[in-house]
Amino acid sequence: MIGKTKEYGVVYTPEWIVDLILDNTVQEYKPALKICDPACGDGAFLARLVERICDTVPARDCRRALENLAGFDIDAGALAQCRTRIDAVLVAKGKRLKINWNLHCMDSADRASLAPHEGRFDCVVGNPPYVRIQHLGEVRRRRMRRDWKLANRGSADLYIAFFEIGMFLLKRGGRLGYITPNTYAKTMAGQPLRRLIREQHGIACLFDFGEHQLFDGATTYSLITVLHKNDSRERFALYRYDGKRIVSKGLVSASNLPTNRFWTLESETTLRKIQCIRSRGRPLGEIAGIHVGLQTLADDVFILEKVGEESGVVVALDARGREARIESAVTRPILKASLMKDGKDVKERIIIFPYIDGRLFAEADFSERFPMAYRYMAKQKTQLLQRDKGKFDPGRWYAFGREFGLFETFGDKLITSGMNKRPNFQKCPAPEYTFYSGYCVKPKSGVDMDALLAVLNSADMDFYIRHTSRDYQNGWKSYAKSFIQDYGVPAAVAERAQHEQASMWR
């Protein structure tokens, strides 16, 4: 199953998670209740549903209830395992029934195949496949983007489209219960889904698993979402898993989940404090530029450890410890933000910087002016052309992989890693340094750098990020621009910047 798992984005579901979803999605087992798992795999949800029906539905109605279950899957092998599994459950429950199981080998993302089942079901449950839509075959990808609005974004994940697919299958007022990655709550790719949920459907409950891992062999940050189709609700129940048990965070107003901002899944009390932080002073993104570090897509080629310098030449070691001699004029000092401590990197590094006046050197000019650097780079040409899955522009083989913001990384700035366990903003030692593996905050005119540094490393920032940013294992949190730009800088720092800026135009 490893190959199929990789191809179809399948991650099989622990039984206690299946129970949690069913407990909150299926309110009462009745003979006429129609339930579907549109990506049923080997039958984790259907097997548990068969057990529950056998235990709760009267014997005279059991056949009808069982035949109202439906499972769809693109993988015929997994569907055969599902059939064997649910047959075995019947035997274990002592039911001598020959059920004509409503199982279909089909692609649930094919709207035409799904059309006969539109609006038929009272409940849709499951663990949709996790795979980027752009990684699907061209025909399937093009069809999905035509059929489903949530599949239109190039970086969208297949599981996001499955929310729309689930709603397509549900009756009005039906309930959907999925376990998926929590990324739809805190990424730009998830914005269309957040908007769909808030504008058209009601949230019954959310179970946030934070950094805790639920699936064997897969690193996934999970969220259970239970929705009502076309039935808006003012408040929803929020739960958090602490690694041992499910903890209630109380009822939360749906108005706290805006469509134009990432969702913060916290109690009302915590949300009020977050709002106080955001609304004080001015947002960090207004008083400072926030920029990502250089992205070469081949750091082991472009970035070297400086070990000496002589007559305009830098003596450096590459990633394998081999010596290289590069003209100083085509290098810049660079810091690795993720390794900085007390304003210093653990090594003295340089980056080969083949740009002048905002543009890439012409190859002939590069080779003539900097022959040592050119020879060094030419030895790595094959590796450099493999960037972007081998589609890198061969005429620009010595360029950085991503060229946006090249010159915003220079100047006076505060630097932080992209992920930290607690705030760790560092003052850059000199403006001529650039950086990678993180973000920088470049205050606008009039902002006191030291005062801002203290604000960014404060207990308030720690609290803010812990409750608003993306989770990673072992307590790591994202410090990307999208998570720090709305942080409220107190008036004592922000208003001074505003006053100084206004003074320039008098």
Side-chain angles (χ1 to χ4, degrees):
M1 283 302 295
I2 292 175
K4 290 293 185 186
T5 298
K6 202 168 192 181
E7 181 180 352
Y8 296 135
V10 178
V11 181
Y12 293 120
T13 318
E15 189 172 280
W16 72 276
I17 293 294
V18 173
D19 284 335
L20 190 58
I21 292 174
L22 295 181
D23 288 346
N24 287 276
T25 307
V26 185
Q27 296 176 305
E28 185 179 0
Y29 290 88
K30 299 178 180 179
L33 190 72
K34 291 180 167 59
I35 308 173
C36 178
D37 181 347
C40 64
D42 69 347
F45 283 87
L46 293 178
R48 200 72 177 119
L49 284 164
V50 170
E51 288 181 5
R52 291 184 174 209
I53 289 170
C54 290
D55 290 341
T56 59
V57 174
R60 66 180 181 275
D61 296 321
C62 199
R63 176 185 295 277
R64 181 185 176 197
L66 292 170
E67 290 184 346
N68 275 330
L69 298 179
F72 311 149
D73 205 275
I74 195 172
D75 184 353
L79 208 62
Q81 290 180 338
C82 174
R83 190 183 303 275
T84 300
R85 183 172 180 174
I86 55 181
D87 278 338
V89 172
L90 277 186
V91 172
K93 289 293 180 180
K95 301 290 184 180
R96 296 185 177 181
L97 298 171
K98 183 68 175 177
I99 302 297
N100 182 25
W101 297 113
N102 189 13
L103 301 177
H104 302 272
C105 185
M106 56 182 269
D107 181 1
S108 292
D110 181 354
R111 197 181 187 102
S113 299
L114 211 62
H117 307 281
E118 180 180 3
R120 286 189 54 204
F121 296 98
D122 300 283
C123 300
V124 170
V125 296
N127 176 5
Y130 314 160
V131 60
R132 289 288 178 91
I133 287 172
Q134 65 264 38
H135 295 162
L136 302 176
E138 184 178 349
V139 173
R140 191 180 182 207
R141 182 173 65 246
R142 187 179 303 157
R143 186 180 65 227
M144 282 196 64
R145 287 180 171 161
R146 180 196 66 207
D147 291 349
W148 308 105
K149 292 180 181 178
L150 295 184
N152 282 335
R153 282 182 176 258
S155 61
D157 197 294
L158 186 57
Y159 85 83
I160 290 178
F162 261 81
F163 277 91
E164 189 177 358
I165 290 165
M167 291 301 172
F168 181 82
L169 293 169
L170 279 176
K171 299 175 181 176
R172 187 179 184 88
R175 288 166 74 97
L176 176 148
Y178 281 166
I179 183 163
T180 69
N182 64 14
T183 50
Y184 84 79
K186 293 184 183 292
T187 61
M188 289 303 296
Q191 187 174 26
L193 174 56
R194 294 195 299 274
R195 183 180 297 114
L196 175 73
I197 291 172
R198 287 290 289 113
E199 294 179 355
Q200 298 186 32
H201 310 297
I203 301 173
C205 53
L206 298 173
F207 292 81
D208 185 9
F209 294 86
E211 66 179 280
H212 303 289
Q213 299 299 303
L214 306 180
F215 300 97
D216 292 336
T219 301
T220 306
Y221 302 94
S222 304
L223 180 70
I224 289 175
T225 307
V226 180
L227 303 175
H228 302 269
K229 180 178 178 178
N230 301 126
D231 184 3
S232 61
R233 302 293 171 100
E234 175 55 33
R235 300 177 77 78
F236 66 92
L238 177 63
Y239 301 89
R240 177 71 51 75
Y241 182 62
D242 66 5
K244 296 180 180 178
R245 60 195 179 95
I246 301 290
V247 179
S248 173
K249 306 297 283 188
L251 292 175
V252 178
S253 172
S255 63
N256 288 305
L257 303 180
T259 58
N260 61 347
R261 180 182 279 162
F262 297 160
W263 284 359
T264 300
L265 304 180
E266 292 292 345
S267 68
E268 295 275 11
T269 301
T270 299
L271 287 169
R272 281 193 292 271
K273 183 171 180 180
I274 290 169
Q275 184 55 34
C276 285
I277 292 174
R278 279 182 174 151
S279 59
R280 70 186 181 190
R282 293 172 65 196
L284 178 62
E286 285 187 8
I287 69 162
I290 304 172
H291 309 286
V292 70
L294 296 181
Q295 299 178 63
T296 69
L297 305 189
D299 291 345
D300 58 337
V301 173
F302 284 92
I303 300 172
L304 303 94
E305 180 185 358
K306 181 179 177 179
V307 294
E309 189 166 7
E310 51 190 49
S311 302
V313 174
V314 176
V315 182
L317 301 177
D318 68 9
R320 299 182 183 180
R322 298 171 300 191
E323 185 176 287
R325 304 173 82 82
I326 309 293
E327 291 88 354
S328 303
V330 76
T331 71
R332 302 290 185 274
I334 189 168
L335 299 165
K336 189 170 186 177
S338 59
L339 296 180
M340 286 183 67
K341 186 176 180 181
D342 299 325
K344 297 179 180 179
D345 196 341
V346 295
K347 295 179 180 178
E348 188 175 3
R349 308 173 200 265
I350 54 101
I351 183 169
I352 297 174
F353 196 83
Y355 296 87
I356 186 169
D357 298 331
R359 60 177 177 78
L360 184 70
F361 277 115
E363 185 170 358
D365 195 20
F366 182 31
S367 64
E368 181 179 344
R369 293 180 61 176
F370 309 108
M372 288 186 287
Y374 181 82
R375 282 196 298 271
Y376 164 81
M377 295 289 286
K379 291 178 182 177
Q380 327 295 331
K381 185 174 181 178
T382 300
Q383 177 184 339
L384 294 173
L385 286 173
Q386 290 173 352
R387 291 175 292 175
D388 286 334
K389 299 180 180 180
K391 297 179 181 178
F392 203 83
D393 183 350
R396 297 171 60 85
W397 61 269
Y398 53 97
F400 292 168
R402 302 288 179 264
E403 296 182 313
F404 48 80
L406 283 181
F407 295 91
E408 281 84 352
T409 62
F410 295 94
D412 294 325
K413 54 192 171 284
L414 305 174
I415 299 176
T416 186
S417 173
M419 290 200 304
N420 298 294
K421 287 191 173 182
R422 59 191 60 83
N424 185 30
F425 289 84
Q426 305 269 329
K427 196 171 182 179
C428 184
E432 63 267 22
Y433 278 82
T434 183
F435 72 98
Y436 71 115
S437 189
Y439 292 81
C440 77
V441 175
K442 296 179 71 174
K444 295 179 181 178
S445 175
V447 178
D448 183 282
M449 185 83 75
D450 292 320
L452 182 59
L453 181 62
V455 167
L456 297 183
N457 283 329
S458 68
D460 273 358
M461 174 61 92
D462 187 30
F463 173 89
Y464 181 81
I465 289 294
R466 273 191 291 113
H467 294 290
T468 64
S469 184
R470 286 183 65 175
D471 293 296
Y472 294 94
Q473 289 186 70
N474 303 315
W476 292 88
K477 304 289 287 189
S478 173
Y479 277 70
K481 176 181 179 178
S482 54
F483 296 113
I484 65 175
Q485 64 185 358
D486 292 329
Y487 179 77
V489 177
V493 175
E495 288 178 3
R496 178 178 172 184
Q498 192 172 24
H499 173 74
E500 292 287 344
Q501 220 169 16
S503 297
M504 293 173 62
W505 298 99
R506 288 176 187 159

